[in-house]
Amino acid sequence: HFVEKHNAKEIGFISGPLTNRDACERLDAFKAALEECGIEADEGKIAYGDFSTDSEVAINTLLERNEHLDAIVFANDSMAVGGYNALSKRGIIPGKDILVSGFDDDVFAVSLEPPLTTVEARAASLAYTAVLNAEKYINGTAPKEIKVDTNFIQRNSCGCDDIDTKILFERLKINGDDIDIAFNPKYFMDALKAIESEK
């Protein structure tokens, strides 16, 4: 999204600690996404936080090494909160002066100013899947990995002012043509006539 829609090239990443499996997976995914976009991952553009809101040191380290970043991706939303604080102290506005995104779609993400663009990854879905596999865990045949779908949640911190309906329709599995038909006045009039004729 940063590269294709906003033409970002200088993208920083705030990772969780490398002792954490989720942090390693998210860092690997970030590097793979850069590679897919033809951008080489630069270790100098990666700093390490602790998945908490106390991530200002990591942000400051990243910004001191890279004065001209276009965007920062946070490995979770809590660190993005610390990022907002650090950026504010430098007079940098997320979504305007620098593009920002998080991960997890925590409940507070929408109430940040500006609302945080993030990725929804439902822990409840993981728990539900684990419960469904309870018997397999007991008898030793459970899958080694459980994966759930993630969804890009576009808000304003990524530099977008409006909702990308294409992304929203894909996420909700809605056909855009159906929406156009549903909001067409002629569609409503035809539907009302059909109802009247059935009376």
Side-chain angles (χ1 to χ4, degrees):
H1 181 76
F2 284 160
V3 175
E4 293 176 1
K5 184 160 185 178
H6 300 286
N7 200 33
K9 302 283 187 230
E10 302 291 323
I11 305 173
F13 187 77
I14 302 295
S15 172
L18 290 181
T19 52
N20 180 285
R21 181 178 173 181
D22 285 345
C24 294
E25 288 179 353
R26 294 174 192 189
L27 178 57
D28 288 345
F30 171 73
K31 289 178 178 179
L34 284 182
E35 186 177 329
E36 190 178 317
C37 293
I39 299 173
E40 187 176 343
D42 179 352
E43 291 296 328
K45 292 185 179 126
I46 300 168
Y48 298 88
D50 62 1
F51 277 145
S52 78
T53 56
D54 298 324
S55 60
E56 290 189 40
V57 172
I59 311 303
N60 288 326
T61 298
L62 181 69
L63 293 173
E64 283 159 15
R65 287 196 309 233
N66 305 276
E67 294 180 4
H68 304 293
L69 288 178
D70 299 322
I72 301 176
V73 176
F74 290 87
N76 79 343
D77 293 345
S78 291
M79 290 194 296
V81 172
Y84 271 44
N85 293 337
L87 291 170
S88 176
K89 288 175 183 174
R90 291 170 177 259
I92 300 171
I93 302 170
K96 293 191 177 174
D97 303 321
I98 194 165
L99 313 179
V100 176
S101 71
F103 193 95
D104 287 332
D105 195 27
D106 274 321
V107 291
F108 56 79
V110 71
S111 62
L112 293 177
E113 186 53 47
L116 181 65
T117 293
T118 185
V119 174
E120 175 191 65
R122 296 181 181 225
S125 295
L126 283 172
Y128 178 72
T129 306
V131 169
L132 291 180
N133 282 285
E135 185 179 345
K136 292 179 180 176
Y137 282 110
I138 293 168
N139 64 30
T141 61
K144 291 184 179 177
E145 289 187 330
I146 296 175
K147 295 183 179 181
V148 294
D149 291 336
T150 56
N151 296 294
F152 177 66
I153 308 296
Q154 177 191 299
R155 297 193 179 107
N156 303 114
S157 69
C158 66
C160 290
D161 290 326
D162 55 359
I163 294 172
D164 187 328
T165 53
K166 183 177 178 232
I167 291 172
L168 186 61
F169 290 169
E170 286 174 3
R171 179 181 169 211
L172 299 175
K173 297 178 177 55
I174 295 173
N175 183 331
D177 294 337
D178 295 340
I179 296 295
D180 290 340
I181 290 168
F183 284 95
N184 185 325
K186 183 178 181 313
Y187 171 83
F188 284 112
M189 293 308 295
D190 290 346
L192 285 172
K193 286 177 185 174
I195 291 167
E196 288 297 322
S197 68
E198 288 177 5
K199 289 182 178 177

